[in-house]
Amino acid sequence: MSEAGGCWGCGSPVPQRAPWSLVAAATALCLVSATSVWTAGAAPMSREEKQKLGNQVLEMFDHAYGNYMEHAYPADELMPLTCRGRVRGQEPSRGDVDDALGKFSLTLIDSLDTLVVLNKTKEFEDAVRKVLRDVNLDNDVVVSVFETNIRVLGGLLGGHSLAIMLKEKGEYMQWYNDELLQMAKQLGYKLLPAFNTTSGLPYPRINLKFGIRKPEARTGTETDTCTACAGTLILEFAALSRFTGATIFEEYARKALDFLWEKRQRSSNLVGVTINIHTGDWVRKDSGVGAGIDSYYEYLLKAYVLLGDDSFLERFNTHYDAIMRYISQPPLLLDVHIHKPMLNARTWMDALLAFFPGLQVLKGDIRPAIETHEMLYQVIKKHNFLPEAFTTDFRVHWAQHPLRPEFAESTYFLYKATGDPYYLEVGKTLIENLNKYARVPCGFAAMKDVRTGSHEDRMDSFFLAEMFKYLYLLFADKEDIIFDIEDYIFTTEAHLLPLWLSTTNQSISKKNTTSDYTELDDSNFDWTCPNTQILFPNDPLYAQSIREPLKNVVDKSCPRGIIRVEESFRSGAKPPLRARDFMATNPEHLEILKKMGVSLIHLKDGRVQLVQHAIQAASSIDAEDGLRFMQEMIELSSQQQKEQQLPPRAVQIVSHPFFGRVVLTAGPAQFGLDLSKHKETRGFVASSKPYNGCSELTNPEAVMGKIALIQRGQCMFAEKARNIQNAGAIGGIVIDDNEGSSSDTAPLFQMAGDGKDTDDIKIPMLFLFSKEGSIILDAVREYEEVEVLLSDKAKDRDSEMENEEQPSSENDSQNQSAEEITSSSQDVDLVDQESPEESSLNSHPESLSPTDMDNAASIDPSEQNSDPTENHETTSLDGECTDLDNQLQEQSETEEDSNPNVSWGKKVQPIDSILADWNEDIEAFEMMEKDEL
Ligand code: DMJ
């Protein structure tokens, strides 16, 4: 491809060895800012507004970093709700997530180069001194090799890169003598024993002090690792080698990459999510661009940019071709099976894939980047943050959000590539949402549940390493940054490595690379690295024109249509029958079922069983529709089961100085006022006496008109509720007596009744684990008057709340309570006769009543023996939803009403919508937690 075609550098088959200037130029070419060529579309943002937003980012960073330094340092992370440091071993284990914590002041190291990007040079100098003085890399602690590499090794190298840049400028860091690099080298040697496998793939964990082998190491028995875990080392390891001249690091990282390349599934050119580090067998054969694989692809392309080695580009392009062929269904990116890449492996996407549009910009494939980014943005607008996982029809699949930076990263790169001010507005929304929903008095707290707005006592180090960097750079002009950012490449943790490394100590490159690369035909480079300088002057509305057809893709989601049904729409045929629309009494539906090879069996117990025989279908397309219908029916049926469970509730502290900013996840009760159906309950808290609430209260005057705090244990939940209600309480919060328990580590449950009629209990009751409960108890100790809001979803913490008159009169509260009591009703069909306080949301499936909806079916998936989905079509999203449209429109309007951006106190989300969203998939949760943070 010729230069005139706008495609040279990072995509075209470049000369054998690209000199660094060419590599840098190529990178710059892909990312060239097109601001100057913008002429229409989203309104341009003034320099003043950009500066204002940049300053806001600086203030937010100060709030996060300042609180970490003040309340957590030298601990690895800040716990922003309890305002203290997270020290491994001192907090209940959160499983694999804790493997990032090595007692090495993780957040400080991860923040080093952010300080320089944000022009906080003085603070950087101080931070480096602290790292050199305080950080110990020799702790007896087992850490993740992947996380330690990207966050700590990357953090030290990023810090070193900018330290030497500053030193050369002559003002700051004049005393610096490569000390960070020496630490990085020490850490590099500590990680090397992990590579002691026959495959060369690293063990997933290592003991910083004892390595792998020694018995004291307590690790080294693992057999599997994730692809990203083994394939995300080359940038840091090669930089370490090139900075120090010690070639071994780059060699090891290359060897691991070579092995993964060898093991790619040869016909699809895809890789699985997890691999056996000894045999090289794929353990999980599903493949996507999110959790478990993401940064493997990222590092292939960036290794080419940083190291100028063509083999990495060839590998990347081969994988990219496969990704675009099988996984990309614009705007979706859906996992498939590596051996059967036409078969989707999931019906949901994870939040980590939000980095992919950014990588596509670096690759130069702008169109799908714009499409996927737009889809993600709409999901964010719906839920304020990107949930950890969401379904193909954009409902929450896993509701957590640990303040991940990937979407901000892609927004930044898309702005650089298009110059479209739309992306500045996107960034502004991200800033607003962070301040509105995640900011707490002591930092920023991860979202435990984007639906309720509740928090988790967690602020991951990547929030400082990445989020603030990308947001600041988005609004910064060249002169706002004290060095040229385009001389550097971002690692996956957004650490900066200088591009000049490509020409330093390069003798080691390619020593271990295999020569077995497939000949690639030119089509592989068709959409490579378009020169934005040529592209955008011709069509300044390019990005907008791509977004336009997608503008309602989430709200008007036509779920089945998204994936591959538009062909039948286009040909004028009716859209296929969807499981949720199916009615066993509708003769037209029965006819469609027959055509799809699906037969209906009426079971003796009144249920209906559906069985599909593809061979009996009228055509292969009908068979395919039938299979999809069955899959939908299985999902629908399991979702209906889950929907009968009660979703979590929120306890929001609304009084000074919290002003609604701290939101605690609470378990509901199977009795009392149902907060999802009624107005929230607001009131000051008071501890009951006796604290366990198991007998008549001796302090009714203290709890009258208030929300009573009661300790769990010694009697039934319902008994406690009756006792506080009799004393005049307007609500109750039961706090777990099991010290240290937390919703971070224990599954939330609903409080069961006592097996008797509980209709007499009219007040709302919520349950808090001990850690969340102690946040309220601590607040009471410190501020005495603590007011909380019990609801199904946190309400806006906007100025309205801060300015709101504190309703201190007990009468007000009582009036509110009276209003609620009159409208209270019981609507819980999960009453359970079990022993007191043992009911678990997940452990009593037997208490679910059999589904009796008109479209419910008992399905035998084992009968699904056909595989007609091989004809995989991709989407064009301008297809209409036809008769579904109105219905979905209605639904989206209802959901709009439920947007928490509506004003304080308004009913925020209908129960149906919450129930539909309450689809947390524990298995997926565990799988993803395991794969990657
Ligand atoms: C970061 O640590 C890195 O970006 C990593 O590659 C993926 N996950 C987190 C942030 O979400």
Side-chain angles (χ1 to χ4, degrees):
M1 186 128 338
S2 73
E3 190 177 330
C7 259
W8 63 284
C10 70
S12 56
V14 288
Q16 274 302 318
R17 184 69 196 84
W20 76 265
S21 55
L22 175 61
V23 176
T27 314
L29 187 67
C30 293
L31 299 179
V32 69
S33 166
T35 314
S36 56
V37 299
W38 179 91
T39 58
M45 192 177 272
S46 67
R47 171 95 179 111
E48 291 68 46
E49 169 128 42
K50 281 172 67 180
Q51 266 170 352
K52 202 175 119 206
L53 289 162
N55 288 337
Q56 224 178 319
V57 176
L58 293 177
E59 186 280 326
M60 291 163 71
F61 174 82
D62 288 344
H63 181 65
Y65 182 73
N67 274 295
Y68 164 72
M69 290 308 287
E70 191 177 338
H71 301 289
Y73 181 78
D76 283 318
E77 284 179 348
L78 171 70
M79 297 172 72
L81 297 183
T82 44
C83 207
R84 62 203 162 103
R86 182 182 291 283
V87 179
R88 207 158 154 198
Q90 288 179 17
E91 301 295 330
S93 166
R94 299 175 301 169
D96 294 346
V97 182
D98 283 341
D99 290 345
L101 312 177
K103 299 186 177 176
F104 35 35
S105 302
L106 177 65
T107 302
L108 179 66
I109 293 177
D110 227 2
S111 303
L112 286 177
D113 50 10
T114 306
L115 289 164
V116 184
V117 173
L118 270 51
N119 220 339
K120 295 178 178 291
T121 328
K122 177 76 190 56
E123 289 89 332
F124 172 70
E125 192 144 8
D126 291 346
V128 174
R129 286 188 198 279
K130 285 200 175 73
V131 170
L132 302 182
R133 188 191 65 198
D134 301 339
V135 173
N136 178 13
L137 297 171
D138 195 40
N139 299 311
D140 176 12
V141 52
V142 175
V143 294
S144 152
V145 171
F146 166 79
E147 297 292 354
T148 307
N149 173 59
I150 65 168
R151 302 198 203 194
V152 186
L153 188 55
L156 293 170
L157 291 170
H160 171 70
S161 303
L162 298 190
I164 55 178
M165 177 277 294
L166 287 171
K167 186 176 181 181
E168 205 177 301
K169 278 179 178 279
E171 194 183 341
Y172 293 96
M173 301 299 288
Q174 295 307 302
W175 53 269
Y176 182 70
N177 215 359
D178 291 353
E179 290 89 344
L180 289 177
L181 182 61
Q182 293 318 316
M183 283 182 78
K185 194 170 168 188
Q186 186 199 349
L187 181 59
Y189 279 118
K190 286 191 166 295
L191 296 180
L192 283 187
F195 293 78
N196 195 0
T197 57
T198 43
S199 66
L201 297 179
Y203 279 95
R205 292 181 196 86
I206 194 158
N207 185 306
L208 284 175
K209 192 179 185 70
F210 297 110
I212 295 275
R213 287 283 148 98
K214 298 199 186 117
E216 309 93 290
R218 305 185 305 279
T219 190
T221 53
E222 300 95 336
T223 52
D224 309 337
T225 197
C226 73
T227 301
C229 303
T232 311
L233 297 148
I234 187 71
L235 293 188
E236 292 82 2
F237 273 46
L240 185 55
S241 284
R242 292 180 182 219
F243 270 133
T244 61
T247 60
I248 189 166
F249 304 109
E250 184 168 340
E251 283 164 16
Y252 274 43
R254 278 179 181 266
K255 202 174 152 214
L257 274 181
D258 290 346
F259 190 83
L260 288 174
W261 172 247
E262 285 295 310
K263 290 292 169 187
R264 75 192 181 282
Q265 211 289 324
R266 298 294 175 125
S267 54
S268 67
N269 281 322
L270 292 172
V271 290
V273 172
T274 47
I275 189 166
N276 184 306
I277 53 175
H278 304 300
T279 64
D281 293 337
W282 291 110
V283 179
R284 271 186 53 195
K285 301 185 181 74
D286 43 325
S287 183
V289 296
I293 301 183
D294 47 5
S295 44
Y296 161 64
Y297 294 136
E298 179 184 0
Y299 270 35
L300 284 179
L301 183 55
K302 290 186 175 176
Y304 166 69
V305 175
L306 183 68
L307 308 175
D309 183 335
D310 299 352
S311 67
F312 292 129
L313 178 63
E314 290 175 36
R315 291 180 195 181
F316 175 79
N317 277 335
T318 304
H319 286 310
Y320 189 77
D321 189 33
I323 290 166
M324 296 314 284
R325 192 185 300 253
Y326 304 119
I327 293 168
S328 170
Q329 301 180 26
L332 311 185
L333 290 158
L334 272 183
D335 286 23
V336 298
H337 296 280
I338 54 174
H339 293 96
K340 286 189 176 178
M342 306 305 280
L343 210 58
N344 287 337
R346 283 180 193 166
T347 54
W348 47 273
M349 290 164 274
D350 61 62
L352 285 162
L353 61 73
F355 91 103
F356 199 66
L359 189 65
Q360 288 180 306
V361 170
L362 185 62
K363 159 77 181 162
D365 198 6
I366 309 281
R367 170 182 278 274
I370 292 170
E371 290 170 332
T372 298
H373 179 275
E374 178 58 20
M375 175 272 290
L376 294 170
Y377 185 42
Q378 289 179 33
V379 177
I380 289 174
K381 283 197 279 191
K382 200 169 166 173
H383 302 291
N384 302 320
F385 297 98
L386 202 55
E388 278 296 74
F390 52 95
T391 61
T392 48
D393 51 352
F394 310 113
R395 287 190 300 181
V396 173
H397 187 67
W398 177 14
Q400 199 189 12
H401 171 77
L403 308 181
R404 287 197 190 280
E406 282 79 3
F407 182 77
E409 172 184 354
S410 285
T411 305
Y412 165 66
F413 284 113
L414 269 168
Y415 179 61
K416 293 290 277 181
T418 64
D420 187 340
Y422 175 81
Y423 295 108
L424 298 176
E425 296 297 335
V426 172
K428 188 176 169 185
T429 305
L430 298 183
I431 290 175
E432 282 167 4
N433 287 351
L434 281 170
N435 279 325
K436 208 165 180 182
Y437 305 109
R439 191 176 178 128
V440 293
C442 190
F444 289 83
M447 304 308 293
K448 173 132 197 107
D449 189 320
V450 296
R451 297 160 304 180
T452 60
S454 59
H455 293 135
E456 198 175 337
D457 201 2
R458 163 177 180 188
M459 184 177 85
D460 288 73
S461 68
F462 52 67
F463 183 56
L464 288 99
E466 300 190 61
M467 183 71 92
F468 293 111
K469 225 178 250 157
Y470 289 124
L471 286 178
Y472 184 74
L473 288 170
L474 178 65
F475 298 106
D477 286 332
K478 226 174 165 39
E479 56 272 21
D480 296 328
I481 308 161
I482 54 176
F483 61 99
D484 189 351
I485 197 82
E486 291 188 5
D487 289 341
Y488 296 80
I489 190 158
F490 293 95
T491 68
T492 191
E493 189 78 357
H495 292 307
L496 294 172
L497 299 175
L499 287 168
W500 56 255
L501 285 174
S502 67
T503 50
T504 308
N505 286 321
Q506 53 181 280
S507 55
I508 46 177
S509 58
K510 306 198 85 168
K511 216 189 220 168
N512 290 310
T513 50
T514 59
S515 53
D516 167 32
Y517 301 116
T518 40
E519 264 304 304
L520 300 173
D521 67 43
D522 278 353
S523 62
N524 216 301
F525 305 98
D526 274 356
W527 12 247
T528 293
C529 213
N531 184 332
T532 52
Q533 278 171 329
I534 294 169
L535 178 61
F536 293 103
N538 294 339
D539 187 0
L541 293 176
Y542 178 73
Q544 200 201 355
S545 70
I546 294 172
R547 287 193 304 268
E548 186 59 25
L550 298 171
K551 67 173 189 248
N552 292 319
V553 65
V554 167
D555 272 348
K556 278 196 179 169
S557 88
C558 165
R560 187 183 178 288
I562 293 296
I563 301 178
R564 46 193 302 280
V565 295
E566 286 66 26
E567 204 156 319
S568 59
F569 290 169
R570 262 181 256 121
S571 65
K574 271 194 153 188
L577 180 62
R578 290 182 46 81
R580 63 204 258 179
D581 300 327
F582 172 69
M583 290 173 71
T585 47
N586 182 331
E588 209 188 324
H589 288 181
L590 296 177
E591 194 50 41
I592 298 174
L593 244 56
K594 204 168 152 199
K595 262 183 89 187
M596 297 192 299
V598 178
S599 39
L600 206 115
I601 302 164
H602 292 274
L603 301 176
K604 280 198 190 120
D605 61 7
R607 289 179 303 146
V608 173
Q609 186 173 49
L610 299 176
V611 179
Q612 195 214 17
H613 295 285
I615 206 154
Q616 290 170 5
S619 69
S620 62
I621 293 195
D622 288 312
E624 199 181 319
D625 283 342
L627 179 64
R628 208 165 29 241
F629 177 84
M630 296 295 284
Q631 282 168 343
E632 275 188 16
M633 199 52 111
I634 291 167
E635 276 176 31
L636 189 67
S637 150
S638 77
Q639 192 174 316
Q640 281 170 353
Q641 279 196 359
K642 286 178 183 167
E643 283 172 2
Q644 293 180 44
Q645 300 169 341
L646 293 181
R649 304 279 186 255
V651 175
Q652 192 170 12
I653 312 181
V654 294
S655 50
H656 168 86
F658 302 95
F659 297 122
R661 292 213 166 87
V662 171
V663 186
L664 309 168
T665 298
Q670 293 176 356
F671 51 83
L673 187 79
D674 182 350
L675 291 162
S676 67
K677 296 201 171 118
H678 299 83
K679 206 176 159 218
E680 65 278 350
T681 294
R682 179 175 177 151
F684 288 89
V685 297
S687 290
S688 62
K689 279 189 189 151
Y691 187 33
N692 63 24
C694 289
S695 55
E696 189 181 334
L697 263 50
T698 57
N699 63 337
E701 68 297 336
V703 299
M704 166 79 81
K706 299 206 172 141
I707 292 172
L709 303 177
I710 330 139
Q711 192 179 38
R712 182 186 188 185
Q714 285 163 46
C715 62
M716 308 287 277
F717 291 125
E719 201 176 328
K720 294 173 194 285
R722 288 192 182 97
N723 285 327
I724 60 167
Q725 182 172 284
N726 290 342
I730 58 166
I733 299 174
V734 179
I735 297 174
D736 198 4
D737 57 342
N738 178 6
E739 215 186 311
S741 70
S742 149
S743 65
D744 296 352
T745 46
L748 208 58
F749 64 88
Q750 50 188 317
M751 295 181 283
D754 55 3
K756 299 180 210 136
D757 185 356
T758 50
D759 279 359
D760 58 314
I761 303 173
K762 307 291 184 191
I763 58 173
M765 295 289 291
L766 293 183
F767 174 86
L768 289 179
F769 280 113
S770 140
K771 212 191 96 182
E772 284 83 6
S774 64
I775 291 173
I776 295 195
L777 295 172
D778 289 348
V780 172
R781 267 190 287 278
E782 198 158 343
Y783 306 104
E784 281 172 29
E785 295 281 82
V786 173
E787 192 182 20
V788 298
L789 183 83
L790 314 183
S791 66
D792 62 337
K793 181 165 186 164
K795 305 299 181 282
D796 272 5
R797 324 86 163 119
D798 53 17
S799 48
E800 203 177 336
M801 186 179 285
E802 286 185 42
N803 297 336
E804 214 171 57
E805 282 257 318
Q806 302 293 313
S808 51
S809 119
E810 285 181 1
N811 286 343
D812 287 354
S813 307
Q814 275 174 308
N815 290 342
Q816 181 193 354
S817 126
E819 183 189 305
E820 285 159 1
I821 286 170
T822 48
S823 56
S824 155
S825 77
Q826 290 298 303
D827 192 25
V828 179
D829 59 358
L830 301 179
V831 178
D832 201 341
Q833 306 279 345
E834 59 175 62
S835 62
E837 308 168 9
E838 295 273 321
S839 165
S840 151
L841 197 64
N842 300 313
S843 62
H844 299 284
E846 71 281 3
S847 68
L848 297 172
S849 54
T851 172
D852 59 359
M853 305 189 190
D854 61 359
N855 60 357
S858 143
I859 295 158
D860 182 359
S862 63
E863 297 281 343
Q864 295 173 52
N865 49 8
S866 66
D867 180 17
T869 54
E870 297 279 314
N871 297 323
H872 206 95
E873 300 291 336
T874 51
T875 335
S876 89
L877 277 152
D878 41 11
E880 291 187 6
C881 292
T882 55
D883 52 341
L884 285 178
D885 231 345
N886 289 340
Q887 181 191 332
L888 290 165
Q889 178 64 41
E890 264 175 47
Q891 182 188 326
S892 81
E893 278 162 11
T894 331
E895 282 172 7
E896 212 117 86
D897 280 351
S898 74
N899 190 318
N901 288 325
V902 296
S903 66
W904 157 259
K906 202 169 160 190
K907 177 81 189 83
V908 287
Q909 195 172 2
I911 181 64
D912 287 355
S913 146
I914 291 184
L915 283 175
D917 273 353
W918 180 238
N919 186 20
E920 204 164 36
D921 186 328
I922 298 298
E923 206 183 310
F925 177 99
E926 285 169 357
M927 222 150 71
M928 288 177 64
E929 280 274 275
K930 214 167 163 17
D931 291 345
E932 201 181 340
L933 293 183

